[in-house]
Amino acid sequence: MSILIDSWSKFYREDACKRAMQALQFMEKRDMTPNLITYNTVLNVLAKSKDPLAPMKAEKMIQRMDKNGCEPDVYSMQSLILAWARSRIAGAPQKVEQILQSMEEKRNIKPNTHCYTAAIYSWGTSTEQYRAIRGYRLLQYMNQIEDDGLEPNIVTYTTALNACSNPLPGEEDESYHIACLIMEEIYFKENLKPIFLTYAAFFSACRHDLLSADLMKEKDEMMQHVFNRCIEDGQVGQLVLEKFKTAATNKLYHSMVGKYTRFNKLEIPQEWNQNVKGEKKEIKSNEKMKQHQRPLDLEHPDVVAALKLMKNKSQS
């Protein structure tokens, strides 16, 4: 049954979570005691599902583990945190922080980087006040703890930047300043390499319609500095360009990329995006047509063999 549960965990079907939980219940009812790996597999599926009740179900599963004498580990609690972080239920960020605190105080489990990154994500996707500063405080806490296993990575920093991108009215300037602090910290740490999502998240926090007039000049200078670094890093992906265009004034945008526009089509130098990885690039319809309209290579070995076969059939 553990193999069956593991198989369901690797499916991307909507009912994968339901099937995995049914298999687990089958084991429990027939005294087939699930082990830690089995419970963690189901918890992971549950955390990544779209089930609106996933956090509550994950809570009950942790309780069942305790009842059955299967002590949860850091990966069990990581899935529980992720379930709450993805839920967007009111009060979810506070709940996540409670779980983080209880891990060390009650269970003697040290939260890992993924746990804190999920906690920052929870603040960023919530509708709570001051989510940018609350996410940043968690990031600072990680940096203050002298623990190699809790060092924030570029995903953590990018998640903290995302928490600055949709501030509530009255929090725009503060969120922007926090985003600038986060970018400076990234540049200060030699082991961190910003990816295109990092730059896109920063520019999302710089939208010109969010900031006060006093910050506009300062913001343009900062955006120019960051965009130049993005070029140096070869991370100017399509998403970065879209976010930069939305955030920049027309003057700044045209000064940075205007000369690469020909007949309303932007063609940036290849080295600008040479290090972009993981971004889906759609092939335009006219390019697809060109691919289909390419002449047949009559010298290709497969084509030669096919033509020879057709010739032999016609002669027989």
Side-chain angles (χ1 to χ4, degrees):
M1 290 301 292
S2 295
I3 296 175
L4 179 61
I5 291 174
D6 182 62
S7 298
W8 277 114
S9 71
K10 295 173 182 175
F11 276 98
Y12 291 94
R13 287 172 42 170
E14 290 185 5
D15 62 343
C17 178
K18 180 180 177 182
R19 299 276 187 168
M21 292 190 67
Q22 286 175 343
L24 179 64
Q25 290 171 357
F26 180 88
M27 292 181 68
E28 291 177 329
K29 287 179 180 179
R30 284 158 178 76
D31 295 327
M32 301 166 60
T33 307
N35 58 23
L36 179 61
I37 295 175
T38 304
Y39 276 117
N40 281 352
T41 301
V42 179
L43 278 167
N44 184 55
V45 178
L46 192 57
K48 295 179 180 179
S49 72
K50 296 180 180 180
D51 187 345
L53 300 177
M56 285 67 80
K57 291 179 179 179
E59 290 269 10
K60 289 183 178 179
M61 192 164 296
I62 294 292
Q63 294 171 7
R64 280 156 59 185
M65 291 174 70
D66 289 331
K67 183 179 178 181
N68 294 336
C70 184
E71 187 175 348
D73 64 0
V74 66
Y75 301 107
S76 314
M77 304 308 293
Q78 177 181 307
S79 293
L80 176 60
I81 288 172
L82 186 60
W84 276 105
R86 286 168 52 91
S87 69
R88 302 194 181 185
I89 295 174
Q94 292 89 341
K95 180 65 177 179
V96 168
E97 291 197 0
Q98 288 175 11
I99 297 170
L100 285 172
Q101 187 175 358
S102 68
M103 285 175 68
E104 294 193 81
E105 293 181 357
K106 296 180 181 180
R107 294 185 178 274
N108 196 28
I109 299 174
K110 295 173 64 174
N112 59 20
T113 299
H114 296 293
C115 292
Y116 277 95
T117 301
I120 295 171
Y121 175 84
S122 183
W123 280 113
T125 56
S126 73
T127 56
E128 302 278 348
Q129 285 185 311
Y130 312 118
R131 48 184 176 263
I133 187 64
R134 287 174 169 177
Y136 184 62
R137 283 173 182 168
L138 286 170
L139 181 66
Q140 291 299 96
Y141 178 75
M142 294 177 72
N143 282 318
Q144 291 168 6
I145 297 177
E146 295 182 1
D147 188 341
D148 293 336
L150 196 58
E151 187 174 3
N153 54 32
I154 194 60
V155 176
T156 312
Y157 276 92
T158 302
T159 304
L161 282 170
N162 274 322
C164 303
S165 61
N166 290 302
L168 294 176
E171 299 176 12
E172 297 90 348
D173 290 2
E174 180 185 54
S175 295
Y176 164 73
H177 282 305
I178 292 171
C180 291
L181 285 173
I182 293 171
M183 285 304 300
E184 292 298 338
E185 286 183 25
I186 292 173
Y187 292 143
F188 180 76
K189 292 193 171 186
E190 295 182 357
N191 63 320
L192 290 177
K193 302 296 180 184
I195 56 177
F196 75 96
L197 291 172
T198 310
Y199 286 107
F202 173 76
F203 292 132
S204 291
C206 298
R207 281 169 42 198
H208 65 276
D209 59 324
L210 294 178
L211 303 180
S212 61
D214 296 338
L215 281 178
M216 292 305 292
K217 183 177 180 181
E218 174 191 324
K219 186 209 72 169
D220 277 5
E221 292 175 355
M222 183 64 179
M223 284 187 62
Q224 183 175 1
H225 167 67
V226 173
F227 193 78
N228 282 328
R229 287 293 299 265
C230 187
I231 293 173
E232 291 177 17
D233 292 339
Q235 294 289 347
V236 186
Q238 184 61 38
L239 184 62
V240 171
L241 287 169
E242 291 173 3
K243 298 297 183 182
F244 181 73
K245 185 175 183 179
T246 302
T249 58
N250 288 334
K251 181 179 179 181
L252 176 61
Y253 180 78
H254 288 294
S255 69
M256 299 300 292
V257 300
K259 63 181 179 181
Y260 300 106
T261 303
R262 302 285 187 276
F263 304 105
N264 294 324
K265 183 180 179 182
L266 182 61
E267 296 180 353
I268 61 173
Q270 187 175 359
E271 58 268 22
W272 280 24
N273 58 14
Q274 62 184 345
N275 295 321
V276 174
K277 296 179 181 179
E279 186 176 44
K280 294 181 180 179
K281 297 180 181 179
E282 295 183 359
I283 301 176
K284 295 182 179 180
S285 58
N286 60 340
E287 292 177 348
K288 288 182 179 179
M289 289 178 62
K290 287 179 181 179
Q291 287 182 354
H292 289 301
Q293 292 172 358
R294 288 175 183 169
L296 189 65
D297 183 4
L298 297 178
E299 295 182 359
H300 191 281
D302 292 339
V303 177
V304 172
L307 291 174
K308 186 176 180 181
L309 179 62
M310 291 172 62
K311 183 178 180 181
N312 292 337
K313 285 185 176 181
S314 63
Q315 292 176 348
S316 60

